[in-house]
Amino acid sequence: MSQVAYHGRPIVCQKGANAPMDATNEAGALAALTRNLRWAWSPEVQALFREIAPERFRQLRNNPVALLAELPGELPVGTAARAEALRRRLAAYLESDRTWGDTWAHALGPRPVAYFSAEFGIHESLAIYSGGLGVLAGDHLKSASDLGVPLVGVGLFYRDGYFQQRLDAHGWQQEDYVVADPAKLPMARATDREGEPIVVRVEMRTGTLHARVWRLDVGRVKLFLLDTDVEGNSDGDRALTCRLYGGDQHVRIRQELLLGVGGLTALRAAGIRPSVLHLNEGHSAFAALEMARVLMEEEGASFEDAVDRVARLTVFTTHTPVPAGHDRFRAELVEEHLGPLRDALRIDEHRLMSLGRVDPNDPDETFCMTVLALKLSRRVNGVSALHGQVSRRMWHPLWASRPKHEVPIGHITNGVHVPSWLAPEMRQLFDRAFGSGWIERQAEPETWAPIEDVDDAELWAAHRVLKRQLIDFVREHAAREANKRGEGEEVVAACREVLDEDALLIGFARRFATYKRATLVLSDLDRLDGLVNDPARPIQLVFAGKAHPRDDGGKKLLQDIHRATRDPRFAGKVVFLENYDIEVGRALVRGVDVWLNNPRRPLEASGTSGQKVVLNGGLNCSVLDGWWAEAWDGRNGFAIGAGGVHADPAIQDQRDSEDLYRALREEVAPLYYRLGPAGLPVEWIRHMKRSIRTLGWRFGADRMVADYVRQCYLPAAMVTQREMDYR
């Protein structure tokens, strides 16, 4: 035997028939694959590790790093050769200079875009995300990598991550936390130019906050995560980055100070001088103030000049049309935490507070992070066309002298990272239909046109395989969670019998915020009974999602769904999947027939889950809000209502409920069950093809990132090149 150290643990590789390479090379190839998070969107790498130890790999949340740390002595035949081939493919990907970015974004050069986000959803094993905002940020990094756009990510390392969800006997959500082990993640300490580990120090009135910095390689993109669990911090400060969206206002402002000020400091320590700051939501807006401080220190600029120049190189994406989603802090909290930065900026308390107030002279107005980001950015966008309109109305008071339509907030509609969400079975079909290299041409409408020529039976067969996989996943997942709760063999056995692969399957999965109205379809249980148990055209529903730990309204919705799953009328036909995460979401968007989305218009800024469904042949049934308002054409899915908004939310909810039941009863179910001579739902398949053809190219993250490059990054970078050649 020989041993190879990895993360300080010995990997023992048995020589013999099952180990064709020497142990050092074998383990080295496998280790090389795990060190870069490119494996998160590489089905081939995932398949390689899954075949080594299928059940254990699932238990480790599909994490190759964790599996490698406990590799068995003997590996399946051919593992070494496959690992080496994949390692070479990874190296070629990382070293290529023939990318879209090399052609279109080379002007960013050695000064990359710095993309700040409070959460990043890259893979289920790295639990530093809560929902759509984080998954969108993860997809942004992945597409920037694939396109070759010079970009670095900045966030926080939440050791406990977001919570693990479980329901008690009454269906009330309980939260558990699992401490992450950096040794089982593809993380390493970030170092400065001398190779020393970076430690960031952020000054506050009450003392100094220390943070170490981790680096993750996400394909070609580097992601830096700050972690306060270090010597020199108080117990409270050590726990500061413990949990995502946990704690009170005191915790939140410290996290955001660390993200913005500490994040930019970490980049500079690593020798990275960004040409553009991209603030993904207002949480990181303090980065713009820190950039202004750097200009004043290094160039002797005045505060007003520094702020003006920083604003011209800052891009701000707002995601939240809900007032409660915008962080606000009292003046004393701002002074306590930003006092030293304010001193360095040479401004008084009133001037600092005015930057976060709509009315600079209102002493009772709190400091709003979104207002700060809006004032310190020249390029601001919502995340769909409708959200752009909503944002212009919402923030019009900041530009009160202008008509609302001239408020300088545009939009770039969100998209999803195609390789991450496209099922392997559908990828194979697309490879045959679209030709080699189609994934690099995914943002071109012509790429998707050949889907119309795919044989109906072939497309339907691929969808049926994915639906079968989803039902198997739901059954096993539900049985596993029931077993954890100790519900007994009868309940566990019943979980393994839920759902029918021949019945119309509708999925709903997202954060359980009240405006998303998860229970709209449950508003009339007798009518739902008629749909679910229709002898000719039955429907079935799968729900998943988490409520914020402090959102009792969201928890109540979840409890209502749990109660419906226990109703004898819906047993085995309405299912709730606990502990929603990327893995659960991936299974759902790949296998459902229909994706249901019914937010209270216009409060859904964009929504991206339905875009993932499109890639896999599912159809959307949605309120005309967010991305669907600009996607639906009457033949590529289904609309709930006509886009109207009533001043009374209760009346709007009642109308939308009626429209939802009508759509399911009169449009969705009849189309699904209407079979042609060959036993295929020909009209349904025609909708599937139109959905893929008209929407696949428009709502990918490659298109989204390219839009940011052309509309935001390159114009902002020109400011840096002309005026900000600071050392």
Side-chain angles (χ1 to χ4, degrees), residues 183-509:
K184 294 183 179 179
L185 294 167
M187 302 169 62
R189 289 292 302 276
T191 57
D192 60 21
R193 292 175 176 175
E194 285 71 46
E196 294 297 319
I198 296 172
V199 176
V200 168
R201 296 171 180 82
V202 179
E203 299 298 330
M204 303 174 293
R205 290 293 190 216
T206 54
T208 303
L209 182 64
H210 302 81
R212 60 183 161 189
V213 183
W214 299 97
R215 193 190 96 177
L216 297 89
D217 294 328
V218 186
R220 300 180 176 105
V221 167
K222 294 179 176 63
L223 172 60
F224 294 91
L225 301 177
L226 281 72
D227 175 7
T228 60
D229 187 15
V230 297
E231 296 289 339
N233 281 338
S234 66
D235 289 345
D237 285 344
R238 293 192 73 151
L240 184 62
T241 56
C242 184
R243 295 177 180 177
L244 173 62
Y245 300 144
D248 56 15
Q249 290 293 90
H250 190 268
V251 169
R252 179 63 66 87
I253 194 172
R254 290 161 90 86
Q255 287 183 336
E256 297 185 354
L257 180 68
L258 181 65
L259 174 61
V261 175
L264 189 63
T265 302
L267 292 182
R268 297 180 65 239
I272 297 172
R273 299 295 191 265
S275 59
V276 179
L277 303 182
H278 186 169
L279 312 178
N280 187 44
E281 198 51 282
H283 309 115
S284 55
F286 291 142
L289 286 178
E290 173 63 11
M291 179 66 89
R293 186 200 64 77
V294 170
L295 286 178
M296 294 174 66
E297 177 184 296
E298 296 190 351
E299 297 187 3
S302 68
F303 173 74
E304 298 300 336
D305 184 48
V307 164
D308 178 66
R309 291 161 64 185
V310 167
R312 282 183 278 161
L313 62 86
T314 301
V315 177
F316 173 47
T317 299
T318 177
H319 294 260
T320 311
V322 182
H326 301 272
D327 289 334
R328 297 177 180 274
F329 302 112
R330 302 185 310 275
E332 57 268 27
L333 268 182
V334 174
E335 177 60 21
E336 176 185 341
H337 293 90
L338 272 78
L341 177 58
R342 179 181 65 74
D343 292 341
L345 293 170
R346 300 195 293 275
I347 57 175
D348 60 23
E349 293 182 46
H350 173 76
R351 183 69 180 95
L352 176 60
M353 288 298 296
S354 71
L355 293 172
R357 288 171 170 162
V358 174
D359 181 353
N361 298 311
D362 180 359
D364 297 322
E365 184 179 344
T366 52
F367 186 97
C368 178
M369 295 296 286
T370 303
V371 173
L372 175 65
L374 289 167
K375 289 186 176 182
L376 295 188
S377 307
R378 290 292 178 271
R379 291 167 181 83
V380 181
N381 67 277
V383 289
S384 69
L386 180 57
H387 181 231
Q389 297 175 17
V390 171
S391 296
R392 286 189 287 277
R393 290 197 302 269
M394 185 174 188
W395 297 109
H396 178 244
L398 281 170
W399 293 274
S401 62
R402 300 187 185 188
K404 288 180 181 177
H405 68 275
E406 292 184 6
V407 169
I409 300 176
H411 81 274
I412 293 177
T413 302
N414 283 345
V416 299
H417 184 246
V418 172
S420 291
W421 301 102
L422 182 64
E425 293 81 2
M426 200 62 71
R427 172 70 182 263
Q428 292 169 10
L429 187 151
F430 288 175
D431 286 347
R432 294 192 297 272
F434 301 166
S436 63
W438 73 269
I439 203 77
E440 284 76 36
R441 306 188 307 274
Q442 62 175 274
E444 301 171 11
E446 298 80 9
T447 297
W448 302 79
I451 192 64
E452 298 285 3
D453 300 322
V454 171
D455 183 76
D456 284 357
E458 182 182 9
L459 179 59
W460 188 245
H463 172 66
R464 292 279 294 183
V465 168
L466 297 179
K467 186 175 180 180
R468 176 75 256 175
Q469 290 176 359
L470 170 59
I471 291 174
D472 289 344
F473 177 89
V474 171
R475 290 174 174 175
E476 181 57 32
H477 188 92
R480 189 166 58 247
E481 295 301 322
N483 191 55
K484 284 181 184 177
R485 293 192 299 270
E487 293 202 47
E489 284 301 319
E490 185 176 340
V491 173
V492 172
C495 289
R496 293 198 169 99
E497 299 296 326
V498 301
L499 304 180
D500 176 0
E501 64 181 299
D502 292 322
L504 174 64
L505 180 56
I506 299 173
F508 180 102

Side-chain angles (χ1 to χ4, degrees), residues 652-682:
Q652 183 175 344
D653 290 351
Q654 192 273 332
R655 288 180 177 177
D656 287 346
S657 172
E658 290 289 330
D659 286 332
L660 171 57
Y661 286 126
R662 182 200 56 77
L664 293 177
R665 182 182 63 254
E666 299 178 10
E667 297 180 48
V668 180
L671 193 70
Y672 182 83
Y673 286 102
R674 188 181 304 142
L675 303 182
L680 297 174
V682 177

